[in-house]
Amino acid sequence: MTRKNTPVIVGAGTTEQFGQFPDRSILELATEALKNALEDTGIGRDELDGLVTNMGSPLSRHYDRLCEALALDVGFTAQYWAHGRWVGSGLQHAAMAVETGVAEYVAVGLGLKFTAVDQMGGEESVSLSEIGSIGEHSERPWYGMTAPVGGNALATRYYMEKYGATSEDLAHISKTFREHAALDPRSHFSKPIDIEDHQASRYIVDPLRLFDCAPLSDGGAYLIVTTAENAASLPNDPAYVASMEGLHAGRENHLFARPGMGIRTQREYEYDASVTDPVFERAGVTRDDIDALYTYDAFTPNVWYALERWGFCEPGTAFEFARDGNISLDGELPMNTHGGLLSNGHISAWNHLVEMYNQLRGEADKRQLTNADTVQFATPFGDSIIMRNEEP
């Protein structure tokens, strides 16, 4: 059924490169990406009346500082706290804003410097431990786990022991996403790696090696969200936000494990992915209709957990699915076609959403999938967005 003010994405922009840019400020990166998004959309800065971001200082800039610096005058803003897992929620917030008539054109995204910040004219290093102190990642500092890699390593070791997966299985994910990244000139890392390279890389927290962990990247990415009615007068074909599922929280959820694994406060039980059916039903599709899947791959095992949480693989089988080539561009379910956080760049996953939009409008260059009309963002955390190139 047609919804009033159906939310759509009508433009996207990024910085020319993702990587490490010590001589560029956060505001410079944000300006480049937002300017490109507005030009791609075909609207002026004065038409923008909403702004949503998932990070402020020190890694990015708070919404009010950004509006002040870029001479924006908006009537709707939202900002989450400094974790990449709020990207999906950020786009959902913007979609709800335009659907309810709170705003007409909302920019979602950020300019990001994971490696350093420029504060009060000086350079200041930022560690993942400091980021974690802003809000935890399901670890506990008094156990010595003060960065995300600790919580993920805990869940990964459990998964390996229970199902027989190995570090070499993770290597296939790293290798595949690096191959995808090599097709995107913006990528932070595009040099090919093989299984041996992965296995020779040093441990960060056993069983996770260097190539199992996303880099700390600098860059920027924005999308512009509006209504289908407004999109009719704009140059680009819209991508419809067909369905959404919110970020889950509670005793049965762990940021680096699907439900049922028994990590931290979770119960251990046989997980049934039918609980995720509603997000597909609301979009009017089935899992078989999904042409590509995008997940928050800060660590390679997140691919396993997303595949199983959302019902693309039975519990304990995702490592075989990924190992056997099914997540490559010509596989059964292509994933992170731009290389993801692991290789394209850790732009907090806004680059994932940009890639989804570009796939739907047929502008993903050498990475373009054939007949891509339905794509999904779905994380181990329980949030999801399904986009389609036709109205649901």
Side-chain angles (χ1 to χ4, degrees), residues 168-173 175 193-200:
E168 188 169 318
D169 293 319
L170 292 175
H172 288 271
I173 298 171
K175 176 177 179 293
I193 60 173
D194 56 27
I195 304 302
E196 291 71 25
D197 292 328
H198 177 280
Q199 292 294 280

Side-chain angles (χ1 to χ4, degrees), residues 158-159 162-163 248-263 265-273 275-276 304-306 308-311 315-316 379-383:
Y158 172 91
Y159 187 98
K162 182 168 184 175
Y163 299 117
H248 287 218
R251 290 180 178 271
E252 301 304 333
N253 288 274
H254 183 280
L255 289 178
F256 302 116
R258 60 158 172 76
M261 286 179 60
I263 301 295
T265 58
Q266 290 180 330
R267 290 178 296 119
E268 187 169 6
Y269 63 92
E270 192 63 28
Y271 175 69
D272 182 356
V275 297
T276 64
W304 296 344
Y305 311 142
E308 294 180 11
R309 180 160 195 160
W310 295 94
T379 77
F381 324 139
D383 62 305

Side-chain angles (χ1 to χ4, degrees), residues 16-17 35 44 46 48 58 88 91 112 199 208 228 283 304 346 368:
E16 184 178 2
Q17 289 280 155
K35 177 176 180 290
D46 58 331
L48 195 67
L91 178 55
L112 173 67
Q199 292 294 280
L208 299 179
W304 296 344
H346 198 322
Q368 184 62 50

Side-chain angles (χ1 to χ4, degrees), residues 159 169-170 172-173 176-177 257-259 261 271-274 276 280 287 290-297 299-328 331-336 376-383:
Y159 187 98
D169 293 319
L170 292 175
H172 288 271
I173 298 171
T176 299
F177 286 179
R258 60 158 172 76
M261 286 179 60
Y271 175 69
D272 182 356
S274 66
T276 64
F280 301 100
R287 291 174 180 82
I290 302 300
D291 297 308
L293 181 67
Y294 296 80
T295 197
Y296 188 83
D297 58 322
F299 305 99
T300 48
N302 284 18
V303 170
W304 296 344
Y305 311 142
L307 284 167
E308 294 180 11
R309 180 160 195 160
W310 295 94
F312 295 100
C313 294
E314 293 295 323
T317 67
F319 74 94
E320 297 169 321
F321 183 85
R323 180 192 63 200
D324 293 344
N326 290 300
I327 64 172
S328 64
E332 181 179 328
L333 182 65
M335 292 187 68
N336 293 4
Q376 182 179 13
F377 180 76
T379 77
F381 324 139
D383 62 305

Side-chain angles (χ1 to χ4, degrees), residues 101-347:
V102 175
E104 291 286 329
Y105 295 97
V106 182
V108 292
L110 47 55
L112 173 67
K113 292 197 72 170
F114 249 121
T115 52
V117 293
D118 183 7
Q119 293 181 319
M120 303 301 288
E123 289 288 321
E124 176 186 331
S125 295
V126 178
S127 72
L128 280 176
S129 294
E130 291 171 309
I131 298 169
S133 69
I134 299 171
E136 62 176 76
H137 291 79
S138 288
E139 312 100 355
R140 289 289 190 265
W142 46 86
Y143 293 136
M145 295 194 296
T146 56
V149 67
N152 196 277
L154 181 71
T156 304
R157 175 57 65 196
Y158 172 91
Y159 187 98
M160 288 178 167
E161 294 292 334
K162 182 168 184 175
Y163 299 117
T166 67
S167 173
E168 188 169 318
D169 293 319
L170 292 175
H172 288 271
I173 298 171
S174 298
K175 176 177 179 293
T176 299
F177 286 179
R178 187 62 66 88
E179 291 168 351
H180 296 176
L183 301 176
D184 187 341
R186 294 169 296 190
S187 292
H188 190 164
F189 290 106
S190 57
K191 180 181 177 181
I193 60 173
D194 56 27
I195 304 302
E196 291 71 25
D197 292 328
H198 177 280
Q199 292 294 280
S201 66
R202 61 186 172 88
Y203 281 112
I204 302 301
V205 177
D206 189 0
L208 299 179
R209 297 177 180 273
L210 178 65
F211 289 138
D212 292 313
C213 306
L216 302 181
S217 305
D218 304 339
Y222 281 93
L223 300 103
I224 307 299
V225 182
T226 188
T227 64
E229 182 179 359
N230 288 339
S233 62
L234 297 174
N236 297 329
D237 291 332
Y240 293 84
V241 180
S243 181
M244 306 185 298
E245 180 72 21
L247 186 70
H248 287 218
R251 290 180 178 271
E252 301 304 333
N253 288 274
H254 183 280
L255 289 178
F256 302 116
R258 60 158 172 76
M261 286 179 60
I263 301 295
R264 193 179 164 210
T265 58
Q266 290 180 330
R267 290 178 296 119
E268 187 169 6
Y269 63 92
E270 192 63 28
Y271 175 69
D272 182 356
S274 66
V275 297
T276 64
D277 287 351
V279 76
F280 301 100
E281 294 167 355
R282 288 193 290 268
V285 301
T286 68
R287 291 174 180 82
D288 290 339
D289 295 316
I290 302 300
D291 297 308
L293 181 67
Y294 296 80
T295 197
Y296 188 83
D297 58 322
F299 305 99
T300 48
N302 284 18
V303 170
W304 296 344
Y305 311 142
L307 284 167
E308 294 180 11
R309 180 160 195 160
W310 295 94
F312 295 100
C313 294
E314 293 295 323
T317 67
F319 74 94
E320 297 169 321
F321 183 85
R323 180 192 63 200
D324 293 344
N326 290 300
I327 64 172
S328 64
L329 293 180
D330 59 355
E332 181 179 328
L333 182 65
M335 292 187 68
N336 293 4
T337 54
H338 57 319
L341 301 180
L342 286 163
S343 290
N344 186 244
H346 198 322
I347 312 302

Side-chain angles (χ1 to χ4, degrees), residues 13-18 21 24 28-30 32-33 36 186 218-221 347:
T14 69
T15 47
E16 184 178 2
Q17 289 280 155
F18 304 138
F21 311 113
R24 301 193 69 187
E28 184 181 357
L29 295 169
E32 179 186 347
N36 288 337
R186 294 169 296 190
D218 304 339
I347 312 302

Side-chain angles (χ1 to χ4, degrees), residues 10-81:
V10 287
T14 69
T15 47
E16 184 178 2
Q17 289 280 155
F18 304 138
Q20 296 185 359
F21 311 113
D23 296 329
R24 301 193 69 187
S25 70
I26 292 170
L27 288 174
E28 184 181 357
L29 295 169
T31 299
E32 179 186 347
L34 182 56
K35 177 176 180 290
N36 288 337
L38 291 172
E39 289 181 350
D40 181 54
T41 304
I43 66 171
R45 180 176 54 185
D46 58 331
E47 295 177 83
L48 195 67
D49 60 350
L51 178 71
V52 176
T53 186
N54 66 313
M55 288 193 189
S57 294
L59 301 183
S60 185
R61 283 293 174 261
H62 296 306
Y63 75 91
D64 51 350
R65 174 68 180 115
L66 189 65
C67 290
E68 174 189 286
L70 303 186
L72 302 177
D73 186 10
V74 302
F76 167 77
T77 59
Q79 177 177 314
Y80 294 88
W81 35 294

